[in-house]
Amino acid sequence: MDILLLQQIMIAALKTGTPLLLIALGELVCEKTGVLNLGQEGMMLMGAMAGFAGALYTGNLFLGVTLAILAGMAMSLLFGALSLNLNTNQVATGLALTIFGTGLSSFLGGDLVGSTIDGFKPIAIPLLSDIPFIGPLLFKQDLLVYLSFVLVAASWWVMHKTRVGLTVRAVGENPYSANALGIKVIRVRFLATLFGGAMAGLAGSYMSLAYTPMWMENMTAGRGWIALALVVFASWRIAYLALGAYLFGFASILHLVMQGLGVDISPNLLAMTPYIATIVVMVAISSNALAQKLSTPMSLAKPFDPKVH
Amino acid sequence: MKINKWMAATAFTVSSLFAATSFAADPLKVGFVYVGPVGDHGWSYEHDQGRLEMQEHFGDKVETTFVENVPEGADAERVITQLAKSGHDLIFTTSFGFMNPTLKAAKRFPNVTFEHATGYKRSKNVSTYVLRTYEGRYVSGVAAGMATKTNTIGYIASFPIPEVIRDINSVYLGAKSVNPDVKIKIVWVNTWYDPGKESDAANALMDQGVDIVIQHTDSPAPLIAAEKRGIMGIGQASDMSHFAPKSHMFSVRDVWAPHYIRTVQEVMDKSWAPEDYWGGFADDILQIVSINPDLPADIQSAITSTHSKIKSGEFHPFTGPMLDNTGKEVIAAGYTLTDAELAAVNWYVEGIDASIPK
């Protein structure tokens, strides 16, 4: 395999991994506070639809992205109101949110099907993009990819180096202790849920404004579910999550490229490689059972109700 | 329990008989069941265009209903039964997965006429109808073979079923007929619809020197990806020209109206009989639309002349002698595959350097 082809695969892998990384990052923070939101796919579709509509009607991609983020947040607001304020079952509420979002986005986006826009284009950063191999890979991407780099770094810093991160983790580990310390558990969980919604909306807009600039029903095709799995395999660690998302992207592209090169392996088997490779690598790096146990938020998917406790 | 079921069945039959006889002077009620939304800009969209044109043709002599987004499986049977119960005389079920639900409903409503698209099971009140997609693919192959500069055509394939394998052969045969050096690269994406993945596949092919992208998946994403890189592509199922004004060579469009108009007329005349209908260029059920005016004149004329040769019956892509890519004879000299044989193609024609996924 020549170096140019490898570079092209890696550039494509980065693009394929980005929507997964964005949505999974939101869900990771959300789960760190103990909230399991299975509505990712629904929120992402609403984001994709709203983002496309915004960009199409205003002619401004950034307004589109803003609208996508707001749509994702509106969906997560619904989830939060039900599961955090009314203490409904998180799993059932999340599933319902996915079904609701899938249907609502098709309904509202019916008139958008068939429209086209000019999506986000790669922007080369001067000097940096001239670095051999790494330059075109990291510094000749579209704005949303750069934004994803910033968001990953910022989330890591907030989660590990700030009081906010400590609060988030405390709420996820033991909400009753956190409550006793005066932390407003429901408020923290709600904010994290909204952050998750915003990231899902952003990921959706990446799909409809950069990856494949168009809107079609169910265009995210299950990426919200893959993101949920990635969070678990990354054992709730942001660095591992980024690795997992890009690895998944790399394996997805590799299987298409290998078929084109005429490698005689069953495409069905090749199609499994992204899943298998990601699972194997993630299990290997997080195989320490104790570390895994420690990184799983103890109160995940458990409602918080101080009256019961 | 048994009696209840029997009574229910009788009640259904009686009510449908009642519907058929007492409202004979009323418009013919025609129902359509779609697997996707009418706005999918592909498969279901074209069926609905067919419905609308049929409605226009007959005016107030017909009354049409459609149900969209019907999942394949148990739910489909409920929808079909509901349409039959509510007095529909003719019901079109437009996805492969509606096959068994259609047959079950047809058994319970013997006085209702059913038409199932792309299936192979028929009964005394169920017909099937299929498209000769390979005709459009052959024209695609001819155009691609002439237009390619790298002599490499890319094919984004969905699932290894006879329809797709047959169409890959057809593209290659068409391309080979005008360009003996042409090669075809096939990428299986294991989906009918995943814009992101279809786009990735198109990019992967283009990275490897493919300069014509042909797709056997339903979204316009591969065309959009091709447009971004200035590479040519061909639209699938509906007119996709506006998604890629520069890169779109032409679209092979499914046009269901002629079949719907003919069938409705037959049901009105009481001349309908179950059949296995294959529609193609000859009936204008499959059409070449929106040929890009910027294509070189020789390619444009090759597209139209190949189309008319197939349409007139002068030429059939699957005429022997033909070898498969292991050197075995699959069609004898002078023989043309029958429709039943076309529905069972499971070999690649000589020259395709790939093997069919097991």
Side-chain angles (χ1 to χ4, degrees):
Chain A
M1 191 183 295
D2 63 84
I3 197 84
L4 188 69
L5 185 60
L6 182 66
Q7 188 184 41
Q8 279 167 334
I9 295 173
M10 288 180 75
I11 291 172
L14 197 76
K15 288 192 194 339
T16 307
T18 297
L20 294 172
L21 179 57
L22 287 171
I23 189 169
L25 190 60
E27 175 60 11
L28 185 145
V29 171
C30 190
E31 287 186 19
K32 269 292 184 190
T33 65
V35 179
L36 178 69
N37 184 352
L38 296 183
Q40 303 298 321
E41 185 81 1
M43 297 193 298
M44 193 177 184
L45 277 167
M46 282 300 287
M49 187 279 296
F52 188 81
L56 182 69
Y57 292 132
T58 66
N60 186 326
L61 290 172
F62 296 98
L63 279 178
V65 173
T66 312
L67 206 62
I69 291 172
L70 290 175
M73 287 174 84
M75 292 292 282
S76 62
L77 188 73
L78 186 63
F79 175 84
L82 291 169
S83 71
L84 299 176
N85 296 127
L86 301 175
N87 273 346
T88 59
N89 181 299
Q90 289 182 11
V91 172
T93 312
L95 286 172
L97 195 70
T98 281
I99 297 166
F100 175 62
T102 308
L104 189 64
S105 61
S106 330
F107 175 69
L108 295 177
D111 294 338
L112 303 172
V113 178
S115 305
T116 50
I117 53 161
D118 274 334
F120 280 101
K121 298 237 164 16
I123 296 171
I125 297 178
L127 295 177
L128 287 174
S129 62
D130 296 332
I131 304 171
F133 197 80
I134 304 224
L137 177 62
L138 295 180
F139 303 111
K140 208 179 162 187
Q141 295 285 358
D142 57 67
L143 276 173
L144 293 183
V145 173
Y146 295 138
L147 181 63
S148 73
F149 296 161
V150 174
L151 284 167
V152 168
S155 305
W156 185 88
W157 184 76
V158 169
M159 289 298 280
H160 294 279
K161 301 286 171 196
T162 67
R163 196 175 175 82
V164 174
L166 202 62
T167 309
V168 163
R169 283 183 285 149
V171 167
E173 289 308 321
N174 193 332
Y176 298 101
S177 305
N179 185 46
L181 288 171
I183 295 173
K184 295 198 164 49
V185 171
I186 295 297
R187 183 182 295 175
V188 171
R189 286 190 166 183
F190 220 117
L191 288 172
T193 302
L194 286 175
F195 176 72
M199 292 299 284
L202 180 63
S205 73
Y206 183 79
M207 295 296 295
S208 66
L209 299 178
Y211 198 47
T212 49
M214 60 171 196
W215 160 254
M216 290 199 109
E217 177 171 332
N218 209 9
M219 67 180 292
T220 56
R223 282 172 181 74
W225 297 107
I226 294 169
L228 277 158
L230 275 176
V231 173
V232 178
F233 286 117
S235 46
W236 293 269
R237 277 182 259 187
I238 290 171
Y240 288 0
L241 187 73
L243 177 73
Y246 292 137
L247 187 70
F248 189 89
F250 183 76
S252 314
I253 298 298
L254 192 66
H255 100 79
L256 297 171
V257 172
M258 279 166 75
Q259 288 191 50
L261 289 172
V263 177
D264 196 17
I265 306 173
S266 159
N268 297 326
L269 204 65
L270 282 175
M272 285 184 235
T273 49
Y275 304 91
I276 295 171
T278 312
I279 290 171
V280 167
V281 171
M282 300 307 251
V283 166
I285 58 173
S286 51
S287 59
N288 185 331
L290 182 67
Q292 180 73 19
K293 204 175 169 198
L294 287 176
S295 62
T296 310
M298 290 303 285
S299 72
L300 188 59
K302 290 185 189 131
F304 172 73
D305 190 351
K307 292 191 289 294
V308 178
H309 203 64
Chain B
M1 188 63 203
K2 244 187 186 152
I3 291 171
N4 275 346
K5 262 191 185 162
W6 181 82
M7 274 172 65
T10 317
F12 287 160
T13 316
V14 169
S15 69
S16 65
L17 267 176
F18 181 72
T21 51
S22 67
F23 299 115
D26 288 343
L28 188 81
K29 281 180 86 174
V30 186
F32 290 81
V33 186
Y34 305 139
V35 69
V38 294
D40 70 353
H41 224 273
W43 183 252
S44 295
Y45 170 82
E46 286 297 349
H47 281 286
D48 200 54
Q49 292 297 307
R51 175 187 70 85
L52 291 169
E53 207 177 316
M54 183 272 285
Q55 172 83 66
E56 187 151 320
H57 178 86
F58 288 103
D60 54 13
K61 285 196 282 181
V62 294
E63 193 184 311
T64 63
T65 318
F66 70 88
V67 189
E68 59 182 341
N69 283 319
V70 177
E72 299 183 327
D75 216 28
E77 197 183 332
R78 183 184 58 76
V79 172
I80 298 165
T81 304
Q82 189 56 42
L83 283 174
K85 255 166 76 177
S86 56
H88 288 81
D89 311 282
L90 170 61
I91 298 170
F92 292 96
T93 56
T94 65
S95 188
F96 182 79
F98 297 156
M99 182 159 69
N100 290 329
T102 304
L103 278 133
K104 276 190 193 162
K107 216 171 193 174
R108 282 202 278 155
F109 297 93
N111 296 307
V112 178
T113 305
F114 293 85
E115 289 252 336
H116 175 237
T118 73
Y120 55 83
K121 288 187 188 167
R122 287 165 289 278
S123 74
K124 65 179 181 34
N125 57 336
V126 182
S127 274
T128 50
Y129 58 111
V130 185
L131 280 176
R132 299 185 186 276
T133 48
Y134 63 89
E135 297 183 340
R137 299 287 177 200
Y138 190 86
V139 177
S140 305
V142 169
M146 289 175 81
T148 179
K149 295 192 177 66
T150 59
N151 290 330
T152 318
I153 298 171
Y155 198 101
I156 303 171
S158 48
F159 295 100
I161 57 172
E163 177 198 320
V164 179
I165 293 165
R166 183 180 70 215
D167 285 9
I168 291 171
N169 287 327
S170 206
V171 162
Y172 182 74
L173 289 167
K176 184 97 173 173
S177 72
V178 293
N179 181 344
D181 299 324
V182 79
K183 283 194 288 290
I184 189 166
K185 278 187 192 279
I186 305 155
V187 166
W188 297 92
V189 289
N190 291 300
T191 176
W192 285 109
Y193 177 78
D194 177 343
K197 199 163 186 192
E198 294 173 56
S199 171
D200 285 344
N203 281 315
L205 285 165
M206 290 186 280
D207 283 344
Q208 293 176 40
V210 159
D211 66 350
I212 312 284
V213 175
I214 297 179
Q215 59 178 104
H216 208 132
T217 51
D218 293 339
S219 95
L223 260 182
I224 292 175
E227 175 91 357
K228 265 192 190 167
R229 296 171 64 158
I231 276 177
M232 303 304 276
I234 295 168
Q236 145 116 347
S238 68
D239 185 347
M240 292 187 175
S241 54
H242 64 285
F243 287 105
K246 287 202 280 294
S247 293
H248 174 266
M249 297 178 84
F250 60 87
S251 283
V252 183
R253 189 184 157 205
D254 310 344
V255 184
W256 299 101
H259 178 68
Y260 290 154
I261 290 171
R262 184 176 63 93
T263 309
V264 168
Q265 192 65 54
E266 283 176 6
V267 171
M268 283 176 169
D269 301 345
K270 308 216 180 324
S271 64
W272 183 92
E275 60 169 357
D276 177 21
Y277 171 73
W278 283 61
F281 285 163
D283 319 291
D284 284 328
I285 285 255
L286 200 65
Q287 292 178 4
I288 302 290
V289 296
S290 299
I291 299 175
N292 191 331
D294 295 335
L295 284 179
D298 59 328
I299 298 182
Q300 292 196 41
S301 66
I303 293 169
T304 46
S305 69
T306 311
H307 170 257
S308 48
K309 257 183 10 196
I310 295 174
K311 184 174 167 136
S312 67
E314 183 191 334
F315 175 74
H316 191 295
F318 290 94
T319 304
M322 199 177 285
L323 302 178
D324 71 8
N325 68 352
T326 63
K328 200 177 87 191
E329 185 180 80
V330 280
I331 310 178
Y335 183 76
T336 299
L337 290 188
T338 63
D339 292 346
E341 286 161 344
L342 283 169
V345 169
N346 61 354
W347 37 263
Y348 279 148
V349 73
E350 180 186 21
I352 295 183
D353 184 22
S355 50
I356 295 169
K358 300 289 178 305

